[in-house]
């Protein structure tokens, strides 16, 4: 966790101690408190025979909610998430000047295009995903990059260092590894990531295909300014623009590769369909779309994992999670007009995609060890 | 060696969850008080001896060995402060097993 970050100011001694505390609190909640609740839930499931009902997870959930220790565990789990944003937010407020300084790039190679009249889609404005205050779209104004910094630093801590440390780039690397695995002939010259956030998955595309022109699209101006500065500091040229991934202003057929990383489960059901359609519209004939996601529900495993994910959806503001992770991506991709559709699991790339152990197959190797991918050709 | 007390009389009207919350806040306050006192003692002794200033402390970066020790210390603190939740979970589980 101690690796320096090119964009976020180094935290002070006390800020670092606070952030490490939050990370360890989360590990404690997951590692020390959760196993007891899981064991209890499995016994309750058997005792009450919830699997014989038409809503096993719902019934198990109401049974568990009767138990004070379960409610307390849930409360602490949510509190740890709120504390995370609090701690990171305080640290960034104290270092606002230094952050703005780092965000000022003298001769940028990429660009950022924001739109003051842009309105983010309702499904994002209604609730702050991951409880992050201000959500993806908040903009403190005056060229601020603060919201992006909050998401970047908080996200890295949230991932507990399992997803590429402070770079948090394993998803993007894995999406590129999928291209190298299944479409080795593609060699894209124009690439766009829809729902790019702070650009943690965009930079890997620029690194993997250095001759390509790379674009990133998302809804928040502050987040995109930050993403741009971050990319410049990492030495990659990316062009960011503030748009809705369901309907961008790029011309038809203007890209060779369009991709998303863990975006679909944060969007409404109609948005999923629209984003798949848009990813098809943007591709030239023979171009490729790659949609990478967390493991689908049917591969998640136990009733407990399903319940735990339900709680995450409700108490960590990810309301569309269930719909997105039970969708038939094979059918959705075909409906969107793709050919050669592939669905399965891409082995996680734990570094540069070109050095990855390339493997794509039907089975999940576990959370963070592989990612679900639906891909196809235009 | 167990840290749980057998037979704790319920306090009428006090919610179990409130009781756990109180236990945690008490433990936490205790941790912070001890920490403050220790730090205060250290800073006074060190400053009197001309060893450190506040700027030195703010600029301090722990090395790999210190990182490991500090991580263990954080885990100990967490385990102590949230003991009540761990015990409550275990008690609920035991009650479930007895069904």
């Amino acid at each position: 966790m101690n690796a320096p970050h090119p964009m976020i100011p180094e935290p002070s001694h006390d800020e670092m101690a606070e952030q490490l505390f939050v990370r360890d609190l989360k590990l404690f909640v997951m590692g020390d408190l959760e196993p007891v609740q899981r064991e209890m839930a499995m016994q309750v499931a058997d005792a009450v025979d919830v699997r014989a009902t038409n809503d096993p997870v719902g019934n198990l959930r109401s049974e568990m909610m009767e138990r004070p220790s379960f409610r307390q565990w849930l409360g602490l789990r949510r509190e740890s998430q709120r504390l995370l944003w609090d701690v990171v937010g305080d640290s960034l407020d104290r270092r606002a000047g230094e952050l703005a300084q780092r965000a000022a790039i003298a001769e940028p190679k990429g660009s950022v295009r924001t739109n003051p009249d842009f309105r983010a889609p309702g499904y994002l404005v209604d609730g702050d995903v991951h409880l992050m205050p201000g959500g993806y779209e908040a903009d403190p104004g005056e060229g601020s990059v603060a919201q992006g910094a909050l998401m970047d630093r908080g996200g890295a801590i949230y991932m507990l260092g399992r997803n590429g440390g402070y770079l948090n780039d394993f998803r993007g690397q894995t999406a590129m590894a999928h291209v190298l695995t299944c479409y080795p002939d593609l060699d894209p010259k124009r690439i766009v990531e829809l729902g790019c956030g702070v650009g943690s998955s965009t930079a890997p595309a620029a690194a993997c295909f250095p001759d390509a022109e790379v674009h990133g699209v998302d809804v928040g101006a502050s987040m995109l300014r930050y993403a741009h500065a971050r990319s410049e500091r990492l030495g990659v040229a990316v062009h960011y623009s503030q748009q809705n991934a369901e309907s961008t202003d790029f011309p038809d057929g203007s890209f060779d590769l369009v991709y998303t990383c863990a975006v679909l489960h944060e969007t409404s059901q109609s948005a999923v369909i629209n984003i798949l359609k848009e990813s098809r519209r943007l591709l030239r004939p023979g171009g490729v779309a790659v949609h990478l996601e967390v493991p689908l529900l049917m591969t998640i495993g136990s009733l407990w994992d399903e319940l735990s994910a339900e709680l995450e959806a409700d108490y960590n503001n990810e309301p569309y999670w269930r719909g997105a992770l039970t969708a038939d991506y094979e059918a959705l991709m075909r409906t969107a007009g793709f050919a050669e559709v592939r669905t399965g699991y891409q082995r996680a790339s734990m570094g540069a995609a070109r050095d990855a152990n390339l493997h794509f197959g039907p089975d999940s190797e576990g959370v963070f060890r592989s990612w679900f991918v639906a891909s196809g050709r235009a | 060696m167990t840290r749980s007390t057998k037979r704790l009389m319920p306090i009428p009207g006090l919610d179990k969850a409130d009781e756990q919350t109180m236990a945690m806040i008490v433990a936490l306050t205790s941790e912070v008080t001890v920490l403050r006192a220790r730090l205060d003692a250290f800073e006074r002794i060190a400053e009197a001896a001309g060893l450190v200033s506040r700027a030195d402390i703010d600029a301090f970066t722990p090395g790999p060995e210190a990182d490991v020790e500090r991580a263990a210390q954080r885990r100990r603190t967490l385990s102590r402060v949230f003991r009540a939740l761990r015990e409550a979970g275990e008690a609920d589980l035991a009650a479930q097993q007895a069904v």
Side-chain angles (χ1 to χ4, degrees):
Chain A
M1 284 288 280
N2 264 322
H5 191 289
M7 188 54 218
I8 304 240
E10 280 302 282
S12 71
H13 169 270
D14 287 8
E15 287 166 344
M16 193 69 198
E18 243 179 353
Q19 290 175 21
L20 287 170
F21 172 79
V22 173
R23 187 200 58 177
D24 286 0
L25 174 61
K26 285 184 159 291
L27 285 169
F28 176 83
V29 170
M30 276 194 318
D32 289 55
L33 297 180
E34 191 174 321
V36 176
Q37 297 300 332
R38 183 191 308 128
E39 194 180 340
M40 186 163 36
M42 293 334 262
Q43 294 191 14
V44 168
D46 290 341
V48 185
D49 204 13
V50 294
R51 288 180 189 81
T53 68
N54 59 4
D55 183 12
V57 177
N59 284 306
L60 178 59
R61 180 172 171 164
S62 17
E63 280 289 336
M64 292 305 287
M65 281 292 186
E66 297 289 313
R67 290 157 176 81
S69 69
F70 182 79
R71 297 197 299 266
Q72 291 282 77
W73 163 73
L74 192 55
L76 190 61
R77 178 164 140 169
R78 173 150 73 180
E79 189 54 36
S80 72
Q81 183 70 5
R82 299 191 62 196
L83 183 64
L84 167 89
W85 300 120
D86 230 33
V87 159
V88 173
D90 282 357
S91 158
L92 291 169
D93 282 350
R94 281 190 292 263
R95 293 162 180 281
E98 204 181 332
L99 188 64
Q101 226 166 24
R102 289 198 186 201
I105 308 291
E107 288 174 20
K109 295 189 286 187
S111 63
V112 61
R113 178 161 59 98
T114 59
N115 171 7
D117 299 326
F118 181 79
R119 293 289 163 268
Y123 63 79
L124 288 179
V125 181
D126 290 348
D128 290 336
V129 173
H130 301 144
L131 310 183
M132 182 173 74
Y136 294 135
E137 71 284 354
D139 182 10
E142 293 175 16
S144 169
V145 298
Q147 195 64 10
L150 178 67
M151 182 177 164
D152 195 19
R153 183 77 180 183
I157 297 170
Y158 173 78
M159 286 291 175
L160 309 165
R162 291 173 303 189
N163 194 46
Y166 286 135
L167 284 180
N168 209 352
D169 65 345
F170 288 177
R171 282 167 300 212
Q173 301 289 11
T174 305
M176 294 309 114
H178 181 75
V179 173
L180 300 176
T181 307
C182 297
Y183 309 92
D185 61 329
L186 186 67
D187 192 28
K189 295 290 177 257
R190 287 181 51 83
I191 303 174
V192 62
E193 185 188 14
L194 303 176
C196 62
V198 297
S200 48
S201 303
T202 327
C208 187
F209 301 105
D211 303 335
E213 182 177 307
V214 180
H215 290 257
V217 169
D218 215 311
V219 300
S222 173
M223 189 167 58
L224 290 165
R225 285 184 211 110
Y226 177 87
H228 173 231
R230 183 187 192 273
S231 296
E232 297 289 337
R233 294 248 163 222
L234 286 170
V236 292
V238 179
H239 304 281
Y240 292 98
S241 52
Q242 186 180 14
Q243 308 188 63
N244 184 342
E246 296 172 69
S247 54
T248 65
D249 61 8
F250 301 118
D252 291 6
S254 51
F255 289 96
D256 306 307
L257 173 62
V258 179
Y259 71 108
T260 63
C261 289
V263 165
L264 300 179
H265 81 268
E266 311 291 14
T267 64
S268 71
Q269 277 157 359
S270 61
V272 169
I273 291 165
N274 293 339
I275 290 170
L276 293 182
K277 258 195 235 160
E278 180 69 0
S279 71
R280 171 69 183 76
R281 182 186 75 80
L282 292 174
L283 288 172
R284 56 136 173 108
V288 169
V290 173
H291 297 287
L292 176 141
E293 256 303 346
V294 298
L296 296 192
L297 191 51
M298 41 288 217
T299 62
I300 276 184
S302 74
L303 203 51
W304 169 260
D305 292 332
E306 204 177 330
L307 171 59
S308 183
E310 286 273 286
L311 298 170
E312 191 82 356
D314 284 347
Y315 297 107
N316 207 26
N317 283 346
E318 303 186 75
Y320 300 103
W321 169 90
R322 175 173 284 278
L325 298 192
T326 51
D328 179 352
Y329 283 99
E330 171 92 22
L332 286 173
M333 289 289 282
R334 292 204 184 282
T335 306
F338 286 98
E340 283 183 54
V341 174
R342 292 176 167 91
T343 57
Y345 287 85
Q346 180 72 36
R347 182 170 294 156
S349 174
M350 305 292 187
R354 292 200 179 269
D355 304 331
N357 179 342
L358 300 179
H359 180 267
F360 180 69
D363 300 317
S364 168
E365 296 175 49
V367 181
F368 294 110
R369 288 195 288 279
S370 65
W371 296 87
F372 174 78
V373 174
S375 67
R377 272 193 202 269
Chain B
M1 198 170 143
T2 181
R3 290 269 182 280
S4 315
T5 306
K6 282 205 180 81
R7 190 170 182 273
L8 292 166
M9 291 286 286
I11 299 165
L14 181 60
D15 184 81
K16 259 194 176 153
D18 291 343
E19 212 171 339
Q20 290 158 19
T21 305
M22 204 186 306
M24 287 186 279
I25 293 170
V26 169
L28 186 58
T29 311
S30 142
E31 289 284 317
V32 173
T33 307
V34 171
L35 185 65
R36 287 240 157 198
R38 188 184 166 81
L39 196 57
D40 178 73
F42 173 78
E43 283 184 15
R44 283 172 201 274
I45 294 165
E47 214 143 24
L51 287 176
V52 293
S53 63
R54 279 187 181 269
D56 288 338
I57 295 170
D58 285 335
F60 176 74
T61 310
E65 205 176 315
D67 266 339
V68 169
E69 283 179 27
R70 284 171 161 227
Q73 180 60 57
R74 282 195 304 272
R75 283 194 297 273
R76 272 198 297 281
T77 303
L78 284 162
S79 185
R80 166 153 312 147
V81 172
F82 297 108
R83 188 206 73 224
L85 290 192
R86 202 180 57 242
E87 287 176 349
E90 283 160 1
D92 279 353
L93 177 62
Q96 179 61 38
Q97 280 167 332
V99 168

